[in-house]
Amino acid sequence: MQENRPTIAEGVSLAFIGEHGVLFDEARQELFQLDGGMAFVWSRLAEGAAIDRIAEEVAGRGLPAGPVRACLDHAVSEWTRLGLIRPPAIRQRLDVGGARIEIRYATAALAEHVAPGFRNLEILPGPVDDAPDSRLDVGEEDGAVVIRRGALALATCQPDEIIPALRGALTLEAVGLGRHEVALHAATVAADGHALLLSGCPGAGKSTLAVGLAQSGFGLAGDDVALLGADGRVTALRFAPALKPGSWPLLAGMRPDLLDLPVHVRYDSQQVRFLDGVPSAGGGPLPVRWIVGLDRRDGAGPALDRLDPLETLRDLIGGAASADDRLGTGAFQALARMLDGAGCYRLTYARLDDAVALLAGLRGS
């Protein structure tokens, strides 16, 4: 992560009219008059100078350093309150399904709370002109945490909801960029350079089974969304798996540390824990060799049955999403390419270990 200097808010500009420095805030259609000294400070901020550097320059004009710094701090605080400048932000740049997305945290406290949840997606910032594909701002407003893209508020939540909310916003950004044909609601594990997709309705156990498989010889690529390219290969979103309370006792034997992890709250009020350190396969793109629809039922004996690819296609379309919320011909052809090389199955099960054992047997097929 990198720390920024204060930045000028979008749509705010300085002009000199006669002897007056005047700020214009386009969004609010307001004018703010600055005296000569503050106009100089504003100009240097607009050039990217740090507050410490500006204080040195102003003090070099014969003014006492202490009062100068206090005056500058007050001005920056007031301009921040008015929304004319953004406070120093802490940046975290991520690779989300091949999209470079930068998160800007308004405070160090927010960064310390949220950033570790996305550490496995971090990439190094590039050159100054290497702009990310998208930027999201995470800040605090009226006691709540707000995620914004520019002036648009994407989500407002409480502190214990922020990581699931930001994960959702990042997913929508990656899908919305439209670099893949369609997003599939499926967990992805991999073996021998090929992907196994786990599909099913919410609560079918996709994340739990994906972690179980990853602890048993597969590599976890992603537990929730896979982006399908035109060539029929998938790129999974490599978030740490989100595990709901029902999975905690099932996985605690494999990962005793799971029960010590913090609990977060999703948009649907569901509690989740995010599990780091699961054996990984990377995010892809990967050719799909197996597609397994999950049917978890209490008391059901384990069974792995072949499915007609057309039935699997219907199941996948039911949970698919695209940049414009429509399944186009390109997405349809990509799905057809993926299904052409994949074995399609329905897994009926009640016990996690039975499901893992059955799917482990696919590796030889």
Side-chain angles (χ1 to χ4, degrees):
M1 292 189 296
Q2 290 189 341
E3 187 168 346
N4 282 337
R5 292 159 179 164
T7 56
I8 308 301
E10 289 184 33
V12 179
S13 61
L14 171 68
F16 290 92
I17 301 173
E19 298 179 354
H20 306 289
V22 180
L23 293 176
F24 173 60
D25 183 348
E26 180 181 3
R28 292 186 295 183
Q29 297 290 291
E30 290 187 34
L31 300 175
F32 300 88
Q33 184 175 337
L34 304 179
D35 63 27
M38 286 299 103
F40 169 79
V41 171
W42 182 275
S43 298
R44 294 292 288 128
L45 283 175
E47 293 167 358
I51 295 296
D52 289 342
R53 178 59 182 164
I54 298 172
E56 292 173 0
E57 293 172 352
V58 175
R61 300 184 178 191
L63 299 174
V68 165
R69 184 54 194 257
C71 181
L72 289 183
D73 288 343
H74 176 75
V76 168
S77 176
E78 184 66 10
W79 290 338
T80 301
R81 185 187 68 80
L82 292 169
L84 300 174
I85 64 173
R86 296 183 183 277
I90 298 173
R91 296 183 297 164
Q92 184 182 35
R93 189 169 288 193
L94 309 177
D95 179 336
V96 184
R100 296 171 304 166
I101 302 177
E102 184 176 272
I103 305 173
R104 299 188 294 198
Y105 301 102
T107 67
L110 272 175
E112 289 171 5
H113 175 59
V114 179
F118 302 95
R119 195 83 72 198
N120 68 307
L121 303 179
E122 279 187 2
I123 55 176
L124 294 174
V128 174
D129 59 351
D130 180 23
D133 300 308
S134 179
R135 285 190 177 95
L136 300 180
D137 289 292
V138 179
E140 295 176 295
E141 300 177 18
D142 299 324
V145 182
V146 181
I147 303 169
R148 294 185 178 276
R149 187 201 316 117
L152 177 64
L154 302 179
T156 301
C157 59
Q158 296 304 307
D160 64 347
E161 301 170 327
I162 179 58
I163 292 181
L166 184 54
R167 173 172 162 151
L170 289 167
T171 298
L172 290 176
E173 290 296 295
V175 173
L177 287 168
R179 296 189 178 163
H180 300 81
E181 294 295 338
V182 67
L184 304 176
H185 189 205
T188 307
V189 296
D192 307 319
H194 291 81
L196 185 160
L197 298 186
L198 303 172
S199 68
C201 61
K206 294 185 294 296
S207 296
T208 306
L209 184 49
V211 171
L213 289 168
Q215 297 291 149
S216 304
F218 285 81
L220 178 67
D223 81 314
D224 190 43
V225 174
L227 303 179
L228 178 63
D231 60 0
R233 297 191 298 171
V234 295
T235 299
L237 301 190
R238 298 180 297 109
F239 297 115
L243 301 173
K244 291 177 280 192
S247 70
W248 300 347
L250 299 178
L251 295 171
M254 299 178 183
R255 290 291 302 270
D257 58 320
L258 173 59
L259 300 180
D260 297 324
L261 297 175
V263 175
H264 304 269
V265 181
R266 294 196 321 189
Y267 65 92
D268 56 1
S269 300
Q270 182 74 251
Q271 293 183 328
V272 293
R273 283 183 162 120
F274 296 103
L275 184 62
D276 289 322
V278 179
S280 172
L286 293 168
V288 177
R289 187 167 178 180
W290 311 277
I291 304 172
V292 179
L294 303 185
D295 182 11
R296 188 180 66 174
R297 285 182 270 164
D298 290 341
L304 186 63
D305 301 311
R306 276 274 189 177
L307 279 187
D308 187 299
L310 185 56
E311 187 175 351
T312 296
L313 174 63
R314 291 194 177 102
D315 288 345
L316 291 173
I317 288 176
S322 63
D324 60 1
D325 292 327
R326 297 178 69 251
L327 184 71
T329 56
F332 173 73
Q333 293 296 333
L335 284 164
R337 291 186 188 96
M338 178 184 73
L339 287 164
D340 184 54
C344 300
Y345 300 86
R346 173 77 66 200
L347 173 65
T348 305
Y349 73 106
R351 291 166 46 89
L352 176 62
D353 54 352
D354 290 336
V356 169
L358 279 176
L359 294 184
L362 288 177
R363 294 186 65 174
S365 63

